[in-house]
């Protein structure tokens, strides 16, 4: 009989991450017709559920734009129910080398056209998009051309308009007196934040001043400033076919643009959040309130309905009913101060899916801090 010997097996990497530790995610490089794009995937696929798909703004990558939000404690309840796919625009990933001189950076339309290649690579058929600034525009453009693959959109600081001649002239004049870094800082933060020179502003300025890929950032910035008009029209042919949540900070650089965007969208499936004390980057300065709003937004699409059983976080959220049939309406009204929400009169199923029935184009969406035809929003 052969003698058994004890063999010690060691793992190069732990099978499980330390409790409470951040999920480092898995990085992949996806080849597209317009170049290679880096994505980071967190979590494992859930049956019949879309992926949460993020796209960052100019001067940022997915870490600097979304880590604060996705590492927020209450956000863990959401992301455990979905795969999260973070996209770094070409040349924006950490440690990216500068593109060679003369490199033709993709337009924002072409960045949107990369997304089908990403979804094919990860084998997902639908997403819930979260975009900021330029990233919000990219996801909006993709949603207009591929409406059947987008179940919901959270668009922070979106400007759907192309630059007019006056804007173009002002931009050129500013470029003569300001550096690229300072122009991007003015895009990311409010005038008040820049004058106060908060810690967040200092960190972002330091990132830009020491960025080895600053030429790449300048190319992304140029593409953003050369964007086409989305040509959105309320009641027109060009509009989003999914629930949309628009988010902007009070007195943020893009406040007027987001308000105008809200006026062009279907009020029965559009949520508008104007967040007080959040500056130009609400996902960084008010992650708690944004997480809370996102929970209700996802629940309105028929996912994770148990979130309504949780108490609201401090600094409450006001929700207003959308004018849709009662059987498909998310009837929730929350008081300020973190009190219990009113229970649903007609709960929605946990998993709606792409083929589930829905009444009208709203698909069970919930309207937050906005009323039909009202282009203003209550402050959170």
């Amino acid at each position: 009989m052969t003698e058994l010997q004890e063999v010690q097996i060691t793992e190069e990497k732990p099978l499980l991450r330390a409790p409470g530790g951040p999920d480092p995610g898995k990085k992949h490089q996806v080849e597209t017709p317009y170049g290679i794009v880096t994505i980071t995937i967190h979590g494992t696929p859930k049956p019949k559920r879309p992926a949460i798909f993020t796209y960052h703004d100019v001067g940022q990558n997915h870490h600097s734009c979304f880590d604060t939000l996705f590492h927020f404690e209450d956000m863990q309840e959401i992301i455990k129910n979905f795969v999260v796919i973070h996209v770094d625009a070409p040349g924006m990933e950490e440690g990216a080398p500068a593109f060679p001189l003369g490199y033709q950076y993709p337009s924002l339309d072409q960045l949107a056209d990369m997304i089908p290649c990403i979804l094919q690579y990860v084998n997902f058929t639908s997403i819930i998009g979260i975009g900021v600034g330029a990233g919000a525009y990219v996801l909006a453009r993709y949603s207009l051309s591929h409406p059947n693959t987008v179940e919901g959109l959270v668009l922070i600081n979106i400007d759907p308009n192309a630059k007019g001649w006056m804007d173009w002239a002002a931009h050129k004049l500013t470029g003569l007196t300001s550096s690229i870094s300072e122009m991007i800082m003015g895009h990311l933060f409010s005038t008040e934040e820049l004058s106060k020179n908060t810690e967040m502003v200092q960190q972002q300025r330091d990132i830009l001043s020491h960025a080895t890929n600053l030429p790449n950032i300048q190319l992304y910035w140029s593409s953003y400033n050369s964007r086409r008009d989305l040509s959105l029209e309320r009641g027109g042919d060009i509009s989003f076919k999914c629930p949309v949540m628009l988010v902007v900070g009070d007195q943020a650089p893009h406040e007027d643009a987001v308000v105008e965007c809200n006026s062009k969208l279907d009020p029965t499936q559009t949520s508008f959040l104007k967040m007080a004390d959040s500056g130009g980057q609400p996902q960084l300065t008010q992650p708690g309130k944004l997480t809370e709003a996102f929970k209700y937004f996802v629940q309105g699409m028929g996912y994770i309905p148990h979130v309504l059983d949780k108490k609201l976080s401090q600094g409450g959220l006001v929700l207003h009913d959308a004018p849709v049939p009662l059987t498909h309406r998310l009837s929730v009204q929350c008081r300020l101060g973190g009190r219990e929400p009113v229970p649903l009169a007609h709960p929605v199923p946990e998993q709606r899916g792409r083929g589930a029935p829905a009444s009208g184009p709203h698909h069970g969406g919930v309207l937050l801090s906005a009323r039909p035809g009202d282009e203003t929003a209550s402050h959170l």
Side-chain angles (χ1 to χ4, degrees):
M1 182 174 179
T2 306
E3 183 179 355
L4 298 178
Q5 295 183 348
E6 183 177 336
V7 179
Q8 184 176 1
I9 301 177
T10 59
E11 280 283 341
E12 293 182 0
K13 297 181 180 179
L15 295 177
L16 297 174
R17 59 189 175 94
D23 179 2
K26 297 180 180 178
K27 290 188 179 295
H28 302 263
Q29 289 192 321
V30 182
E31 197 167 335
T32 77
Y34 304 103
I36 295 176
V37 63
T38 300
I39 63 173
T40 304
I41 304 174
H42 298 263
T44 54
K46 308 297 188 295
K48 299 181 181 179
R49 293 201 174 188
I52 295 177
F53 192 97
T54 75
Y55 217 112
H56 62 87
D57 202 355
V58 176
Q60 300 176 325
N61 55 36
H62 85 268
H63 285 298
S64 59
C65 190
F66 292 111
D67 273 3
T68 298
L69 177 63
F70 280 85
H71 289 170
F72 189 74
E73 182 180 0
D74 289 348
M75 193 67 167
Q76 306 313 304
E77 181 184 0
I78 296 176
I79 62 177
K80 75 181 181 183
N81 290 280
F82 298 91
V83 167
V84 179
I85 302 171
H86 293 298
V87 178
D88 286 314
M92 303 301 129
E93 67 275 12
E94 289 185 341
F99 289 124
L101 192 64
Y103 175 81
Q104 183 64 46
Y105 198 81
S107 66
L108 295 196
D109 288 10
Q110 290 171 333
L111 292 179
D113 289 339
M114 291 180 174
I115 294 178
C117 298
I118 298 173
L119 295 185
Q120 183 179 13
Y121 179 87
V122 298
N123 196 27
F124 267 88
T125 58
S126 64
I127 63 171
I128 299 172
I130 305 179
V132 182
Y137 181 100
V138 170
L139 290 178
R141 176 63 71 186
Y142 171 76
S143 180
L144 292 174
S145 58
H146 298 80
N148 293 331
T149 66
V150 182
E151 296 199 23
L153 284 175
V154 178
L155 305 176
I156 304 172
N157 296 338
I158 185 169
D159 188 342
N161 304 315
K163 278 187 175 294
W165 284 106
M166 293 296 293
D167 294 328
W168 181 85
H171 176 72
K172 288 294 184 182
L173 183 61
T174 303
L176 296 176
T177 58
S178 302
S179 66
I180 291 296
S181 296
E182 287 306 312
M183 286 193 290
I184 293 175
M185 291 296 293
H187 165 77
L188 295 174
F189 297 101
S190 67
T191 302
E192 183 179 0
E193 287 175 296
L194 292 174
S195 63
K196 287 183 177 179
N197 199 27
T198 62
E199 182 179 354
M200 185 180 301
V201 169
Q202 293 178 32
Q203 290 177 350
Q204 181 63 48
R205 184 175 280 116
D206 187 61
I207 289 173
L208 289 174
S209 63
H210 294 91
T212 56
N213 65 336
L214 187 59
N216 302 356
I217 296 174
Q218 183 173 355
L219 293 174
Y220 189 17
W221 175 242
S222 296
S223 289
Y224 175 69
N225 287 302
S226 302
R227 66 189 179 277
R228 293 192 299 137
D229 199 306
L230 288 179
S231 301
L232 298 170
E233 182 181 0
R234 179 175 290 184
D237 294 333
I238 302 178
S239 189
F240 299 119
K241 308 303 181 185
C242 64
V244 178
M245 182 164 70
L246 301 177
V247 183
V248 69
D250 189 25
Q251 304 300 317
H254 312 283
E255 181 181 0
D256 292 342
V258 179
V259 170
E260 182 182 352
C261 183
N262 182 57
S263 71
K264 297 178 179 180
L265 301 183
D266 181 356
T268 65
Q269 62 174 8
T270 303
S271 312
F272 182 26
L273 280 75
K274 184 188 290 185
M275 302 178 67
D277 304 320
S278 65
Q281 298 292 301
Q283 80 282 5
L284 301 180
T285 55
Q286 296 284 2
K289 290 181 180 179
L290 186 54
T291 295
E292 190 173 320
F294 186 58
K295 282 183 179 181
Y296 283 99
F297 181 72
V298 172
Q299 199 278 341
M301 289 186 287
Y303 297 110
I304 54 174
H306 63 274
V307 299
L308 292 177
D309 296 329
K310 301 284 184 177
K311 284 191 176 182
L312 295 180
S313 60
Q314 293 299 319
L317 178 67
V318 179
L319 307 178
H320 299 283
D321 288 342
V324 297
L326 182 63
T327 54
H328 294 281
R329 183 174 63 192
L330 179 60
S331 302
V332 183
Q333 177 109 17
C334 305
R335 298 177 179 272
L336 293 175
R339 302 179 187 175
E340 285 281 0
V342 177
L344 282 174
H346 298 272
V348 291
E350 180 177 358
Q351 293 186 0
R352 175 174 61 80
R354 298 300 304 173
S359 176
H362 56 278
H363 289 187
V366 60
L367 196 66
L368 294 80
S369 296
R371 295 178 177 83
D374 183 6
E375 314 315 330
T376 61
S378 303
H379 286 193
L380 291 179

